[in-house]
Amino acid sequence: MRTPFIAGNWKMHKTVSEAITLAEALRTSLADVTGVDLAVGPTATALYAVNRVLSGSNIAVAAQNMHWEEQGAFTGEISPLMVLELAQYVILGHSERRQYFGETDETVNRKLKSALSHSLSPIVCIGENLEQNRAGETVSFVTKQIHGAFAGISAAEARKVTLAYEPIWAIGTGLTATPEDANRIIRTAIRDVLAELYDEQTAETIRVQYGGSVKPHNMAAFIVMPEIDGALVGGASLKADSFTAIVKNALAAL
Ligand code: PGA
């Protein structure tokens, strides 16, 4: 039985003081929530402060990216050792990083290996763009991303990974995949592929979130799908009331 997992991706939003205010509000509004793993992903500059606010709470902290090396001449990057002091999770391969910052399946794979070897819990994002979706290439493209991300990773390590299936055309657009379509893609392009790469048990252990315009009103329809274990939430995670409503609506539907 997979524990549901709902994470907020704050992207490039919130100054440190704004991030503290949001984290404090969530700490209170989600205090009585059990039965679901929770995380928020502030920008690197706010990780320290948010980690302090949420320490001892039921909300974990996620970094939005990291380099694979522990240290070195990599201006502007943060290393797994730095993340480890401030967060439990790290989001890797978000489509915005792939699209705007040159992230590839190969760099995602290097980062994933590094995160796992540093005992960080990775959330690896995958998903097709609109053209690929329209051309019927979703399954082949997502399958390729899975193969790329997990290259050289053992089954035992793979089980520690969370995947976020985020159709790029649904991110920040107000469009969502239908819950049925997302469920089908997660089955055929993710779990069946993981079962082939590893084994059935590994495929059934790995948690898969849906991401892309998740809001309070549509969370329930996704979480009741058998293959969907939670959500990676962007825009609607920036306000305490909407993220709280997403979490509570998910729990009420389970
Ligand atoms: P969104 O973002 O909820 O604003 O669509 C999701 C994501 O990019 O993780």
Side-chain angles (χ1 to χ4, degrees):
M1 191 54 195
R2 300 183 294 264
T3 305
F5 178 24
I6 300 176
N9 173 11
W10 295 357
K11 306 192 179 183
M12 198 174 75
H13 295 283
K14 308 286 176 192
T15 61
V16 173
S17 60
E18 290 166 348
I20 290 171
T21 302
L22 177 55
E24 281 172 345
L26 290 172
R27 187 183 169 120
T28 304
S29 62
L30 293 170
D32 60 346
V33 167
T34 55
V36 54
D37 289 345
L38 300 170
V40 293
T43 56
T45 51
L47 282 172
Y48 179 80
V50 169
N51 189 45
R52 286 191 69 152
V53 171
L54 295 178
S55 130
S57 79
N58 56 347
I59 309 172
V61 177
Q64 297 178 14
N65 178 38
M66 65 169 211
H67 198 278
W68 55 84
E69 294 286 351
E70 290 189 345
Q71 60 181 354
F74 301 104
T75 302
E77 293 290 314
I78 59 173
S79 89
L81 295 180
M82 297 166 189
V83 172
L84 202 52
E85 286 186 307
L86 306 174
Q88 299 76 49
Y89 291 92
V90 60
I91 300 169
L92 298 175
H94 190 278
S95 61
E96 287 149 17
R97 296 223 52 90
R98 295 180 191 254
Q99 188 177 351
Y100 305 127
F101 303 103
E103 198 83 86
T104 63
D105 286 341
E106 199 209 325
T107 57
V108 172
N109 176 249
R110 291 177 89 153
K111 292 177 179 193
L112 182 55
K113 285 177 176 155
S114 175
L116 289 166
S117 76
H118 290 91
S119 300
L120 283 161
S121 300
I123 303 172
V124 176
C125 304
I126 50 187
E128 81 288 359
N129 67 26
L130 190 57
E131 291 69 44
Q132 291 159 335
N133 183 279
R134 287 200 175 138
E137 293 166 359
T138 299
V139 172
S140 61
F141 183 73
V142 173
T143 298
K144 187 173 132 286
Q145 287 185 313
I146 295 282
H147 279 274
F150 285 93
I153 288 170
S154 71
E157 292 287 85
R159 288 177 199 180
K160 299 173 187 162
V161 176
T162 297
L163 290 168
Y165 169 60
E166 303 201 301
I168 296 171
W169 48 271
I171 295 176
T173 57
L175 302 171
T176 60
T178 66
E180 291 74 17
D181 278 349
N183 193 68
R184 182 176 50 78
I185 300 300
I186 292 170
R187 180 74 248 170
T188 54
I190 300 178
R191 282 201 214 283
D192 288 352
V193 174
L194 290 168
E196 242 171 65
L197 268 179
Y198 298 107
D199 52 79
E200 203 62 51
Q201 203 200 329
T202 302
E204 295 303 324
T205 302
I206 291 174
R207 292 191 290 192
V208 185
Q209 300 171 318
Y210 169 77
S213 298
V214 171
K215 310 285 177 205
H217 72 85
N218 62 23
M219 182 70 252
F222 285 104
I223 199 86
V224 296
M225 290 289 138
E227 306 295 351
I228 298 178
D229 304 315
L232 184 58
V233 185
S237 72
L238 295 173
K239 291 209 169 104
D241 57 356
S242 55
F243 191 66
T244 302
I246 284 171
V247 172
K248 297 210 166 166
N249 291 352
L251 277 172
L254 283 169

